Amino acid sequence: MYNDKVMDHFMNPHNVGEIENADGVGTYGSPVCGDMMQISITVEDDKITDAKFKTFGCGSAIASSSVATDMIIGMTIDEALELTNKQIINELGGLPAVKVHCSVLADHAIKSAIYDYAQKTGKHYKGLEGFDPNADEDDHHDLPEEA
Amino acid sequence: MYNDKVMDHFMNPHNVGEIENADGVGTYGSPVCGDMMQISITVEDDKITDAKFKTFGCGSAIASSSVATDMIIGMTIDEALELTNKQIINELGGLPAVKVHCSVLADHAIKSAIYDYAQKTGKHYKGLEGFDPNADEDDHHDLPEEA
Amino acid sequence: MRQVYLDYSATTPVKQEVVDAMLPYFTELYGNPSSLYSIAAESKEALAGARKQVAELIGAEEKEIFFTSCGTEADNWAVMGAADALRKKGNHIITTKIEHHAMLHSCEFLEKRGYDVTYLDVDSEGRVNPADLEAAITDKTILISIMFVNNEVGTVEPIKELAAIAKAHKILFHTDAVQALGNVPIDVKELGIDLMSMSAHKIYGPKGIGALYIRKGVKISNYLHGGAQENKKRAGTENLAGIVGFGKAAELARTNLTEHIKHTSSLRDYLIQQVQENIDNVYVNGSMEHRHPGNANLTFEFIEGEAMLLYLDMNGIAVSTGSACSSASLTPSHVLSALGIPVERIHGTLRFTVGDMTTKEDIDYVVSTLKNVVNKLREISSVSSE
Amino acid sequence: MRQVYLDYSATTPVKQEVVDAMLPYFTELYGNPSSLYSIAAESKEALAGARKQVAELIGAEEKEIFFTSCGTEADNWAVMGAADALRKKGNHIITTKIEHHAMLHSCEFLEKRGYDVTYLDVDSEGRVNPADLEAAITDKTILISIMFVNNEVGTVEPIKELAAIAKAHKILFHTDAVQALGNVPIDVKELGIDLMSMSAHKIYGPKGIGALYIRKGVKISNYLHGGAQENKKRAGTENLAGIVGFGKAAELARTNLTEHIKHTSSLRDYLIQQVQENIDNVYVNGSMEHRHPGNANLTFEFIEGEAMLLYLDMNGIAVSTGSACSSASLTPSHVLSALGIPVERIHGTLRFTVGDMTTKEDIDYVVSTLKNVVNKLREISSVSSE
Ligand SMILES: Cc1ncc(COP(=O)(O)O)c(C=O)c1O
Ligand SMILES: Cc1ncc(COP(=O)(O)O)c(C=O)c1O
Ligand code: FES
Ligand code: FES
């Protein structure tokens, strides 16, 4: 059901773990809805220099975490805030329709981590406007069912 | 669907034909309902000495005609009038449930032939009481359908 | 003794290539297509491949093909599903007097539950008159179902014209193409068909597997409820090997279509010609112009079908009858009645259908045997030409 | 790489003896059982033989067995057929929260069309409490349908007691025995069952063939309308080879039953014991006393089922999940929910089912692989015991 790239990121995920003394940590989802992702980041000069994840979730969630952390390392905060789940999916070479929402998790968890960093440092980012890390966590399950 | 005895009577029917100058001739059924049987008999001293049949009908009708004519040859008229379709079926070793009515044809055609003989000779037989050779010919199709 | 099977419209042998395609899916690639592991992925791929093969045979898209357990289920689904889904729009269904029992008995079931059904007449060749269809339509009509090719007399209906009438009135058009599939060219898009029933065992595939074509955008209720199989439209663990067999049979039917039609129609024509030359008082029923390529429906006067059938069987020849005495049901064929054939002739009718395995020698053997059988039974018969 | 199939409840490979029994019916003995000639008579006999084999497995009479296209169709037929036939008597159906979707979705369909359905709760082991059934019955109740063995957790229901309650109230009792067949002894007469669904592909027979047992005297409406097949109760040309395969599989299931139960339950117990010895934070779901002999439904805390399933698959091991992320449907298993298992645990649940081909070495391989997989995923996981 998954393409080779997804399977590869799933079987050999990059950036697994937690950064000690991270500059920002965000979690999204909950085990109750079957998926929970934690992302921690290191920031230097508004640039993300390291990112790690821990994910409770399906293959697609794990692969999305892996590729998303790969993607944001080296990005500026502003660039990272613009990362969409669509880009994550593209980078993975596609996900099955029912699994699209799993990639939303990663993009939310990244935003949450940056939000945490912004809170700690008192910085403001345009991309965070209107973002609420505690918004209804079931959101990502509300996508229409496959036809 | 038919047992060997039925098949044998069907494939090699006995007494096929019409007796010239028969003492009695009876037909029963009609081609419209798919079966029509004609039986002709020779009678000597109230005994059936010969019988022949012609049948338009299914395998079971042909086999019933064959075995029924066999059975009545040598019988007295009274014995022949007592012949039931059940006896014909027994003699054939059984018929499929939906084909039971085909044997009724033979027993009716025999009665009709005797009726003709009785009419011609002015004789009376107890077994013919209440028998009407022109009764609804569809009768034999009115049996209940197989469960 | 020579064995000649001339009842390809009843069912066909499964071609060896078809069996070979099916075999791995019993013992090796047995994964449930709904499962997520690798062996199941192979099953899923096999389903997709078969779906493509069936779609290609009729000019459909893959996602318009839904596998069912037989042609009967496809017919039931089409009519029951349309009746349920469109109940608010209306309760009137139009079909014909010559449909297969799968359609007729479904309609009778619905009639007892508040639906009205119009059964269109056919002409003496078994063809529906499009004007009759036009006239039967009411503002309550929700479904028109007219078979593509009749199973007894082989008549091909003017489907394109009929479907166009349905379309003009925005009414769903279903056709039972069980006998048409693989025997006449079918392009559902060009013909304007909304729903179409098919069955594998009439095209050298296995028994117990069929399909319903549902045009993209057409919505009918599900009929088998349960798991998410067949894109959530037909539940039940898929008949994996059967579907693979159907797919292979469809592919063969597509690539062999021209050759198949040529082969069967020439042998069928030869059969009819030889019978007419050798046997008196024979009638050909149905249309010669619009006809299933393998079908010869013949009436032999003065004798009865089952008796002929059994005599032929004793000589190794398999044919079928639509006559009163032919099957568990003793009523004369509703199809031949609808064509206006007198009942006494209906009783003397046999259906011969030739197929890919039939040879000219088979036909010669059948004709010479038939000649003897007809003579013998006419001697026994109490009805005659005199 | 070693291949270990541990998903026998999803489907089974077809045994070679079964395939061998089926093969002649594709290419040689292909006659349509409804036809009258000799080759068709052989088909008819084959159907009768298979019907006998299935009847013997469950202590039924041959004429009480009606072949269908799958377990799903048998379930649909039972509930739809009873609902239609008994509409005048009432509109209330009782079933459980843990039925297969074939039953649940049929009931939901009926609910939208004027029927009331009560879905009984089960206890933490998945068992229905007979007192709950008794309490749910109203004077409008026309059908009680309770599955024999649950497909996810393997719980065996107290069918005899439940059927007795139905009988005392003169209500039809149906059971979905798709998972029970060949895995627990079944005697329909002794158990007092009126209607029972079965499927061949769970007992080493082919996919796409099932049966409904209908006790003599029980009347439900037909569901597939058409020809006179299956004693006029289920139309459609019979899946001849499939039915022969089902028959053979039933015969093997009957003669091997004791051995099968012994073999699978001992390996299953070994699996559970080994998992518990080697992996922390594991739960066994369902009843240990009343359980399908091959079923081990296990929850691995802190990780998610699909991820485990895929890692196991990469190691050649096939198991299934009832978790949110396991299938096209993302809702957590309705069965595990009904047992009261917390949602976060449901997500970490796998179903292992062992079968006749499973060996002790298979189990050893699975346990050692599973240990690594669970460790690895727990390392990745954002949830933990700390
Ligand atoms: C309990 C139960 N009922 C019904 C079914 C449906 O049977 P089938 O797959 O033959 O449609 C299954 C299996 O899928 C099952 O496990
Ligand atoms: C015209 C027609 N429709 C429907 C069917 C039913 O198909 P199946 O035998 O696959 O149920 C048949 C054949 O039996 C048929 O000839
Ligand atoms: S004579 Fe009518 S069915 Fe046999
Ligand atoms: S994380 Fe929810 S389905 Fe993938």
Side-chain angles (χ1 to χ4, degrees):
Chain A
M1 61 184 290
Y2 294 126
N3 67 38
D4 289 348
K5 184 140 189 202
V6 175
M7 280 310 283
D8 194 43
H9 273 284
F10 166 56
M11 296 297 291
N12 307 297
H14 310 173
N15 317 310
V16 172
E18 260 175 297
I19 300 174
E20 273 182 60
N21 306 318
D23 297 316
V25 180
T27 55
Y28 192 72
S30 97
V32 172
C33 73
D35 0 83
M36 183 164 116
M37 202 179 287
Q38 185 204 72
I39 287 189
S40 49
I41 52 173
T42 311
V43 185
E44 279 171 39
D45 295 341
D46 252 24
K47 236 189 172 159
I48 296 173
T49 55
D50 199 9
K52 287 205 184 298
F53 80 91
K54 288 206 138 197
T55 290
F56 167 86
C58 71
S60 167
I62 292 172
S64 299
S65 311
S66 167
V67 82
T69 46
D70 267 3
M71 287 168 88
I72 59 170
I73 295 175
M75 279 187 177
T76 64
I77 295 278
D78 285 321
E79 284 165 348
L81 283 170
E82 268 169 33
L83 186 74
T84 63
N85 77 308
K86 213 163 159 186
Q87 286 169 291
I88 297 172
I89 294 173
N90 283 345
E91 187 69 21
L92 282 170
L95 281 177
V98 283
K99 293 293 186 172
V100 163
H101 71 276
C102 316
S103 61
V104 178
L105 276 181
D107 122 49
H108 275 64
I110 290 167
K111 279 208 177 62
S112 296
I114 295 174
Y115 185 89
D116 180 47
Y117 170 71
Q119 294 272 309
K120 283 181 185 154
T121 57
K123 294 193 176 171
H124 285 275
Y125 296 100
K126 223 174 164 273
L128 278 177
E129 272 165 30
F131 177 76
D132 174 4
N134 302 314
D136 185 2
E137 287 170 334
D138 261 357
D139 263 11
H140 67 289
H141 272 170
D142 278 354
L143 296 169
E145 266 194 278
E146 231 189 346
Chain B
M1 61 183 290
Y2 294 127
N3 66 38
D4 289 348
K5 184 140 187 201
V6 175
M7 280 309 283
D8 194 42
H9 273 284
F10 166 57
M11 297 296 290
N12 307 297
H14 309 172
N15 319 309
V16 172
E18 258 175 296
I19 300 176
E20 274 184 58
N21 305 318
D23 296 317
V25 180
T27 56
Y28 191 73
S30 97
V32 173
C33 76
D35 1 81
M36 183 165 114
M37 202 179 283
Q38 185 204 71
I39 286 189
S40 51
I41 52 174
T42 311
V43 184
E44 280 171 40
D45 295 339
D46 252 25
K47 234 185 170 160
I48 296 172
T49 55
D50 198 10
K52 287 204 182 304
F53 80 91
K54 288 205 136 195
T55 290
F56 168 87
C58 72
S60 167
I62 292 173
S64 298
S65 311
S66 167
V67 82
T69 45
D70 266 3
M71 288 169 89
I72 59 170
I73 295 174
M75 278 187 177
T76 62
I77 294 278
D78 285 320
E79 284 166 351
L81 283 170
E82 270 170 31
L83 186 74
T84 63
N85 77 308
K86 215 164 160 186
Q87 286 168 291
I88 297 172
I89 294 173
N90 283 346
E91 188 69 23
L92 282 171
L95 281 177
V98 281
K99 293 293 186 171
V100 164
H101 70 276
C102 316
S103 61
V104 178
L105 276 181
D107 120 48
H108 275 63
I110 290 167
K111 279 210 178 61
S112 297
I114 295 174
Y115 185 88
D116 181 48
Y117 170 71
Q119 293 273 308
K120 281 181 183 156
T121 56
K123 293 192 175 171
H124 286 275
Y125 297 100
K126 228 180 155 260
L128 278 178
E129 273 168 27
F131 176 76
D132 173 5
N134 302 313
D136 184 4
E137 287 169 334
D138 260 358
D139 263 13
H140 67 287
H141 273 171
D142 277 355
L143 296 167
E145 266 195 278
E146 231 188 345
Chain C
M1 189 176 51
R2 195 179 186 102
Q3 298 292 324
V4 182
Y5 183 76
L6 284 192
D7 202 12
Y8 285 83
S9 272
T11 194
T12 56
V14 182
K15 286 190 176 165
Q16 192 58 50
E17 295 144 281
V18 172
V19 179
D20 291 343
M22 294 170 70
L23 279 179
Y25 295 93
F26 290 118
T27 48
E28 294 158 45
L29 303 174
Y30 54 80
N32 189 322
S34 297
S35 300
L36 292 179
Y37 33 78
S38 313
I39 183 183
E42 297 198 55
S43 304
K44 226 172 179 169
E45 262 172 51
L47 289 187
R51 205 179 305 280
K52 183 152 191 265
Q53 288 165 317
V54 173
E56 280 179 352
L57 177 57
I58 61 166
E61 289 172 39
E62 288 151 53
K63 51 175 176 273
E64 297 175 317
I65 304 296
F66 299 88
F67 290 109
T68 63
S69 65
C70 53
T72 296
E73 186 193 328
D75 280 347
N76 276 251
W77 182 9
V79 58
M80 300 295 189
D84 182 75
L86 302 172
R87 187 67 182 88
K88 283 196 184 123
K89 219 193 122 199
N91 70 336
H92 181 231
I93 293 168
I94 301 174
T95 183
T96 77
K97 289 201 171 137
I98 62 164
E99 298 298 311
H100 189 266
H101 282 138
M103 183 53 56
L104 292 179
H105 290 167
S106 295
C107 286
E108 286 159 20
F109 183 85
L110 286 172
E111 282 183 291
K112 293 199 191 108
R113 282 150 191 85
Y115 290 82
D116 288 329
V117 182
T118 300
Y119 300 91
L120 298 177
D121 282 317
V122 293
D123 66 18
S124 62
E125 295 196 332
R127 299 258 292 177
V128 171
N129 183 343
D132 290 350
L133 171 60
E134 185 77 56
I137 292 172
T138 75
D139 57 0
K140 294 251 174 277
T141 309
I142 51 176
L143 178 71
I144 295 168
S145 175
I146 297 175
M147 72 197 313
F148 207 130
V149 172
N150 178 267
N151 45 308
E152 287 192 35
V153 290
T155 302
V156 182
E157 300 298 337
I159 293 301
K160 193 170 174 176
E161 263 177 275
L162 299 166
I165 293 171
K167 189 164 187 185
H169 291 269
K170 296 199 170 66
I171 298 168
L172 279 188
F173 185 81
H174 167 254
T175 187
D176 173 344
V178 170
Q179 293 289 343
L181 196 72
N183 285 307
V184 298
I186 302 179
D187 182 324
V188 287
K189 302 293 166 189
E190 197 217 304
L191 293 167
I193 294 166
D194 294 318
L195 299 158
M196 188 172 88
S197 304
M198 300 168 263
S199 185
H201 74 99
K202 312 284 189 184
I203 62 162
Y204 311 95
K207 296 174 186 38
I209 187 74
L212 183 64
Y213 157 78
I214 305 180
R215 189 172 59 69
K216 210 168 50 188
V218 167
K219 291 224 177 332
I220 61 172
S221 299
N222 286 359
Y223 200 56
L224 284 195
H225 309 275
Q229 292 90 353
E230 296 297 297
N231 204 10
K232 300 189 185 157
K233 289 208 159 61
R234 196 280 188 185
T237 301
E238 298 88 344
N239 180 346
L240 182 58
I243 289 172
V244 167
F246 191 4
K248 187 69 192 174
E251 184 193 300
L252 295 176
R254 185 172 56 83
T255 51
N256 297 344
L257 187 62
T258 316
E259 183 49 35
H260 166 79
I261 292 175
K262 206 174 114 195
H263 175 78
T264 52
S265 60
S266 74
L267 286 178
R268 186 267 320 270
D269 292 345
Y270 179 64
L271 167 70
I272 293 178
Q273 178 237 317
Q274 286 294 302
V275 166
Q276 285 180 322
E277 253 174 46
N278 286 280
I279 305 175
D280 291 339
N281 297 303
V282 175
Y283 300 86
V284 184
N285 304 306
S287 164
M288 279 315 297
E289 192 187 343
H290 307 285
R291 193 181 197 96
H292 180 294
N295 175 291
N297 186 288
L298 306 176
T299 299
F300 301 84
E301 271 205 307
F302 319 127
I303 52 180
E304 194 272 344
E306 189 208 87
M308 275 187 278
L309 185 148
L310 293 175
Y311 269 93
L312 290 172
D313 184 38
M314 296 305 280
N315 288 286
I317 299 167
V319 301
S320 87
T321 121
S323 102
C325 300
S326 70
S327 69
S329 136
L330 297 171
T331 42
S333 155
H334 65 283
V335 174
L336 299 177
S337 299
L339 265 66
I341 298 175
V343 182
E344 60 271 31
R345 282 203 197 143
I346 293 178
H347 289 293
T349 300
L350 291 181
R351 178 186 70 184
F352 303 77
T353 29
V354 305
D356 285 354
M357 290 81 165
T358 312
T359 63
K360 186 160 175 298
E361 292 68 43
D362 287 340
I363 304 292
D364 289 331
Y365 174 69
V366 168
V367 174
S368 73
T369 309
L370 193 58
K371 194 174 161 175
N372 294 334
V373 166
V374 170
N375 283 343
K376 178 156 184 187
L377 284 169
R378 282 184 178 165
E379 268 168 39
I380 297 177
S381 177
S382 54
V383 190
S384 75
S385 53
E386 299 144 27
Chain D
M1 188 177 48
R2 196 180 185 100
Q3 298 293 323
V4 183
Y5 183 75
L6 284 192
D7 202 12
Y8 285 83
S9 272
T11 195
T12 55
V14 182
K15 286 190 175 165
Q16 192 58 50
E17 296 143 281
V18 172
V19 179
D20 291 343
M22 295 169 70
L23 279 180
Y25 295 93
F26 290 119
T27 49
E28 295 159 44
L29 303 174
Y30 54 83
N32 188 320
S34 298
S35 301
L36 292 179
Y37 32 79
S38 314
I39 184 183
E42 295 195 56
S43 303
K44 225 172 179 169
E45 263 173 49
L47 289 187
R51 204 180 306 281
K52 184 154 191 266
Q53 287 165 320
V54 173
E56 280 179 352
L57 177 58
I58 61 166
E61 290 173 39
E62 288 152 54
K63 51 174 175 273
E64 295 174 320
I65 304 296
F66 299 88
F67 290 110
T68 64
S69 65
C70 54
T72 295
E73 185 193 328
D75 281 348
N76 276 251
W77 182 9
V79 59
M80 301 294 188
D84 182 77
L86 303 172
R87 188 66 182 88
K88 282 195 185 124
K89 221 193 121 200
N91 70 336
H92 182 232
I93 293 167
I94 301 174
T95 183
T96 78
K97 291 202 170 138
I98 61 165
E99 298 298 312
H100 190 266
H101 283 139
M103 183 54 56
L104 293 179
H105 289 168
S106 294
C107 286
E108 286 158 20
F109 183 84
L110 286 172
E111 282 183 293
K112 294 201 190 107
R113 280 150 192 86
Y115 290 82
D116 288 331
V117 182
T118 300
Y119 300 92
L120 297 177
D121 282 317
V122 293
D123 67 18
S124 63
E125 296 196 331
R127 299 258 293 177
V128 171
N129 183 344
D132 290 349
L133 171 60
E134 185 77 54
I137 291 172
T138 75
D139 57 2
K140 294 253 175 274
T141 308
I142 51 176
L143 178 72
I144 294 167
S145 175
I146 297 174
M147 73 197 315
F148 206 130
V149 172
N150 179 268
N151 46 307
E152 287 191 35
V153 290
T155 303
V156 182
E157 300 297 337
I159 293 300
K160 194 172 175 173
E161 264 177 275
L162 299 166
I165 294 171
K167 191 167 186 178
H169 291 269
K170 298 199 170 64
I171 298 168
L172 279 189
F173 185 81
H174 169 254
T175 186
D176 174 344
V178 169
Q179 293 290 342
L181 196 72
N183 284 308
V184 297
I186 302 179
D187 183 324
V188 287
K189 303 292 165 189
E190 198 217 305
L191 293 166
I193 293 166
D194 293 319
L195 298 158
M196 188 171 89
S197 303
M198 300 169 263
S199 186
H201 74 99
K202 311 286 189 184
I203 61 163
Y204 311 95
K207 297 176 186 38
I209 188 75
L212 183 64
Y213 158 78
I214 306 180
R215 188 173 60 70
K216 210 167 51 186
V218 167
K219 291 222 179 332
I220 62 172
S221 299
N222 287 359
Y223 199 56
L224 283 195
H225 309 274
Q229 291 90 354
E230 296 298 296
N231 203 11
K232 298 189 187 156
K233 289 208 160 62
R234 196 278 188 187
T237 300
E238 300 87 345
N239 180 346
L240 183 59
I243 289 172
V244 167
F246 191 4
K248 186 69 192 176
E251 184 193 300
L252 295 176
R254 183 172 58 82
T255 51
N256 297 345
L257 186 62
T258 317
E259 183 48 35
H260 166 79
I261 293 174
K262 207 174 113 196
H263 176 77
T264 52
S265 61
S266 75
L267 285 178
R268 186 267 320 270
D269 292 345
Y270 178 65
L271 168 69
I272 292 178
Q273 178 239 313
Q274 286 295 303
V275 166
Q276 285 179 323
E277 253 175 46
N278 286 280
I279 305 174
D280 290 340
N281 298 301
V282 175
Y283 300 85
V284 184
N285 304 307
S287 164
M288 278 318 294
E289 190 186 345
H290 307 285
R291 194 182 195 96
H292 179 295
N295 175 292
N297 186 289
L298 305 175
T299 298
F300 301 85
E301 270 204 310
F302 320 127
I303 53 180
E304 193 272 345
E306 189 208 86
M308 275 188 276
L309 185 147
L310 292 175
Y311 268 93
L312 290 172
D313 183 38
M314 297 304 281
N315 288 287
I317 299 168
V319 302
S320 88
T321 118
S323 99
C325 299
S326 68
S327 69
S329 136
L330 297 171
T331 43
S333 156
H334 66 282
V335 174
L336 298 176
S337 299
L339 266 66
I341 298 175
V343 181
E344 60 271 32
R345 281 203 196 144
I346 292 179
H347 288 292
T349 301
L350 292 181
R351 177 186 70 183
F352 303 77
T353 29
V354 305
D356 284 354
M357 290 79 166
T358 313
T359 63
K360 186 162 176 293
E361 291 68 43
D362 288 338
I363 304 291
D364 288 331
Y365 174 68
V366 168
V367 173
S368 73
T369 309
L370 194 56
K371 194 175 162 175
N372 294 334
V373 167
V374 170
N375 284 344
K376 176 156 185 188
L377 283 169
R378 282 184 178 164
E379 267 167 41
I380 297 177
S381 179
S382 54
V383 190
S384 75
S385 54
E386 296 143 29

